[in-house]
Amino acid sequence: MANLLVTGGAGFIGGNFVHYWANKHPADRLIVLDALTYAGNESTIAGVEQAELVVGDICDTALVEKLLRERGITAIVHFAAESHVDRSITGPDAFIETNILGTNSLLKAARQVWLDDGSGQPHRFHHISTDEVFGSLGPEDPAFHEATPYAPNSPYSASKASSDHLVRAYHHTFGLEVTTSNCSNNYGPYQYPEKLIPLFLLNALSGKPLPIYGDGMNVRDWLHVEDHCRGIEACLERGKPGETYNIGGGAELPNMAVIDTICAEVDRAMEEVSGLAERFPDAPAAKGGKTSQLKAFVEDRKGHDRRYAIDETKARAELGYAPARGFEEGLRSTLRWYLDNEDWWMPLLKLAS
């Protein structure tokens, strides 16, 4: 039996990890530390008996130390982060505070409890990062690998790069046992509807425009969140302290291909799911039209990276990791999850309106 502190565990990836870990490791205890900002949702982890939600800020070092001591925490799985690039452009301060200062707060608490207090307790600090720290690739450039130089291009990716360096420094300077994983674009259940896939799905159901940045040909590697959770599990169980691992989905696609697939799947769902047209009468597909007619090109995002791609050779060789879900299968199951869980996302849209 292990006790894990999961920061940001009521968010998208963290919440999926809580569900995944509770299912795979039912004897373990999960202490979820989440500030419940706009992207954190208590209902995401409702019903997970092994999870205890503590509402609090990762910048509260004293609180983190208290949790580590009182709950007998042996591993920190650090998801908590501001992660939306557009928000980082309009308001970078929150990204500096959470992603850099918050990570430093966690590291200080872990060092104090696990090292300075002299417990000698086996431990692991796993830090979840992003492929965006590596910058942008040209069309023919090789994919990002763990030794690719950092070249962040947005306040978000710069803040994550800074946190990665802090985690590395606490290992090399103080001996804290850390691992870091850099993942590609995640998608799946419980994703806040500001990211591409849930945003476009819910806009399609409401008959709202599908805003496409620039020419729509920016390329991303798409990773189903459950595959990401499997990769994190492999890092925790088999990762070497001090090492970083790239976790990818093996699905490098231009945004336009993803959007076209979403449109086709919404159209398919309208034909196959009984009563869907009545539930969402404003969707073009509910009236005999095509979802693709909602596509609308908008001004490109500032500093928009052109291409990301992940080389996961190291994770495959050292961790035995490989993505299990193809993109079309994963996307279809994701869209059907949103159709089946309107009670989860509808309140979020009402709050945002």
Side-chain angles (χ1 to χ4, degrees):
M1 177 179 177
N3 297 319
L4 284 70
L5 178 65
V6 184
T7 71
F12 164 46
I13 305 177
N16 275 278
F17 177 81
V18 168
H19 283 276
Y20 177 87
W21 196 271
N23 181 54
K24 296 290 184 178
H25 306 269
D28 288 357
R29 187 74 182 165
L30 298 159
I31 311 302
V32 174
L33 177 61
D34 200 296
L36 296 183
T37 60
Y38 78 96
N41 192 335
E42 187 173 354
S43 66
T44 295
I45 56 172
V48 181
E49 293 183 359
Q50 299 97 311
E52 174 193 352
L53 175 63
V54 177
V55 179
D57 193 332
I58 59 172
C59 290
D60 187 344
T61 310
L63 171 62
V64 178
E65 286 190 21
K66 180 180 179 182
L67 292 174
L68 294 180
R69 290 193 177 96
E70 293 185 354
R71 303 301 199 279
I73 301 296
T74 56
I76 296 174
V77 191
H78 177 32
F79 295 95
E82 295 286 345
S83 65
H84 195 237
V85 175
D86 287 355
R87 288 177 182 266
S88 81
I89 294 170
T90 58
D93 288 1
F95 290 73
I96 305 304
E97 180 175 353
T98 298
N99 298 353
I100 302 177
L101 299 181
T103 299
N104 186 57
S105 170
L106 292 170
L107 290 165
K108 286 195 300 181
R111 176 193 172 194
Q112 182 64 48
V113 175
W114 287 341
L115 299 178
D116 292 354
D117 287 356
S119 68
Q121 181 181 40
H123 63 269
R124 176 62 59 92
F125 185 111
H126 183 72
H127 174 59
I128 289 84
S129 189
T130 171
D131 57 0
E132 297 191 39
V133 299
F134 300 118
S136 185
L137 293 170
E140 305 301 324
D141 289 339
F144 299 133
H145 53 85
E146 287 77 4
T148 299
Y150 276 27
N153 290 320
S154 71
Y156 162 59
S157 56
S159 68
K160 290 299 289 184
S162 299
S163 66
D164 293 3
H165 292 319
L166 280 170
V167 172
R168 172 185 166 86
Y170 267 75
H171 172 71
H172 286 275
T173 301
F174 305 116
L176 197 68
E177 296 206 351
V178 307
T179 44
T180 295
S181 54
N182 295 84
C183 68
S184 54
N185 274 36
N186 278 229
Y187 68 99
Y190 300 110
Q191 189 168 28
Y192 189 81
E194 66 183 356
K195 300 297 179 76
L196 190 153
I197 288 176
L199 173 66
F200 277 45
L201 167 63
L202 301 186
N203 277 14
L205 294 175
S206 302
K208 296 179 180 179
L210 307 180
I212 303 167
Y213 282 130
D215 62 2
M217 297 307 292
N218 298 73
V219 175
R220 300 292 183 263
D221 176 72
W222 291 90
L223 170 67
H224 191 277
V225 67
E226 185 173 306
D227 279 334
H228 188 192
C229 292
R230 292 174 49 250
I232 295 168
E233 178 185 44
C235 289
L236 289 167
E237 294 181 343
R238 298 184 291 280
K240 181 180 177 183
E243 292 295 316
T244 63
Y245 299 93
N246 283 352
I247 306 297
E252 187 181 340
L253 296 167
N255 287 345
M256 190 61 74
V258 175
I259 294 163
D260 287 341
T261 304
I262 293 171
C263 291
E265 288 299 328
V266 172
D267 291 347
R268 179 202 296 267
M270 283 294 173
E271 294 179 359
E272 295 180 352
V273 179
S274 176
L276 196 60
E278 289 74 21
R279 287 169 56 196
F280 301 103
D282 294 327
K287 299 175 284 192
K290 295 290 186 182
T291 302
S292 58
Q293 72 191 58
L294 296 172
K295 291 193 292 187
F297 291 90
V298 299
E299 183 179 354
D300 204 358
R301 167 193 287 163
K302 294 179 180 179
H304 198 180
D305 290 339
R306 189 63 173 173
R307 172 176 170 247
Y308 303 147
I310 284 281
D311 180 347
E312 60 199 28
T313 301
K314 180 178 178 181
R316 288 176 181 266
E318 296 187 13
L319 306 179
Y321 167 78
R325 291 205 185 201
F327 179 73
E328 289 193 6
E329 172 204 352
L331 181 61
R332 183 169 301 164
S333 67
T334 297
L335 300 192
R336 296 303 173 95
W337 184 89
Y338 278 91
L339 294 177
D340 292 340
N341 290 275
E342 188 177 351
D343 59 339
W344 181 84
W345 56 262
M346 185 59 76
L348 302 181
L349 294 189
K350 291 179 179 178
L351 285 173
S353 62

